[in-house]
Amino acid sequence: MIVNEIQQPRPFDLVGNPIFIGGLGSGFEATLNYRVHDGHDERSGFFNVGGGTGEHGQFQISVDVSGANFQLDRLFIEIFEVSAQDGSEINKVIVPVIYGPRIIQGYFGYRLHSVVRGETLSQIARTNYGNPSRFNDIVRANPMILSDPNLIFPGQVLKIPMGTGGMPKRNPSSRE
């Protein structure tokens, strides 16, 4: 039986600030807790869901992490109940995500790019950032797809993080 479920974001989604968290849950006295962390810093709090213990309800919260001093690209989103018996964290759900603002200045979203035969990450970086040496931004945003930056394959769909820092204007005739 599923007690708590995070439906948004999905594992390894590229997220920004605020982080929107949504799902289904049930908690003691209708209270669930959240924590967003990288192991160095965190933002945490609580919210109400459902009508009480044993009742499930939908939730969607917005977590402002602008003041957090995250050191890593990968964050963990946790939703859990605090046990009425001993104060321990129970029915915990953890979803790892990639934090776009750690990758690119002024992060506001991403583009999807389908790799075609003959492309390299440097070429994709030049097209999207105007600088081929920024290919590592693409690698960091796609850890479950790119394990070796020298090996990309036609048909792979990459998330290209976009931000206000040094981004060239789009050419309407370019392919994507």
Side-chain angles (χ1 to χ4, degrees):
M1 170 173 74
I2 295 176
V3 177
N4 296 317
E5 179 179 356
I6 297 174
Q7 298 170 332
Q8 172 193 341
R10 293 171 303 193
F12 300 100
D13 270 354
L14 193 54
V15 301
N17 185 52
I19 299 175
F20 298 103
I21 306 169
L24 297 169
S26 176
F28 176 70
E29 294 184 352
T31 302
L32 285 177
N33 293 276
Y34 69 85
R35 180 182 301 119
V36 178
H37 69 94
D38 71 343
H40 298 279
D41 199 1
E42 71 176 46
R43 291 296 175 263
S44 59
F46 66 92
F47 59 95
N48 292 334
V49 63
T53 303
E55 297 176 5
H56 284 76
Q58 293 178 314
F59 65 86
Q60 183 170 27
I61 60 172
S62 172
V63 180
D64 180 0
V65 295
S66 59
N69 187 23
F70 296 135
Q71 303 297 307
L72 305 175
D73 299 342
R74 186 171 299 165
L75 303 180
F76 296 94
I77 297 173
E78 301 178 358
I79 301 293
F80 57 92
E81 179 180 354
V82 175
S83 169
Q85 290 180 332
D86 62 12
S88 64
E89 298 175 0
I90 60 173
N91 301 319
K92 185 185 290 190
V93 180
I94 304 171
V95 173
V97 295
I98 306 302
Y99 189 51
R102 286 277 311 148
I103 298 172
I104 191 165
Q105 182 181 6
Y107 175 83
F108 55 74
Y110 60 87
R111 295 181 182 146
L112 292 176
H113 178 86
S114 294
V115 175
V116 297
R117 184 181 174 127
E119 276 188 314
T120 66
L121 282 179
S122 294
Q123 290 169 329
I124 296 168
R126 181 183 301 115
T127 299
N128 287 280
Y129 303 127
N131 183 345
S133 65
R134 291 189 56 196
F135 71 90
N136 196 44
D137 293 348
I138 300 168
V139 173
R140 290 168 60 192
N142 295 277
M144 300 307 288
I145 297 172
L146 300 173
S147 59
D148 181 341
N150 295 312
L151 294 174
I152 64 172
F153 302 98
Q156 285 178 315
V157 178
L158 304 176
K159 294 176 184 169
I160 312 297
M162 304 309 300
T164 57
M167 182 183 71
K169 293 190 176 188
R170 289 292 301 206
N171 177 350
S173 64
S174 70
R175 69 173 164 81
E176 259 318 306

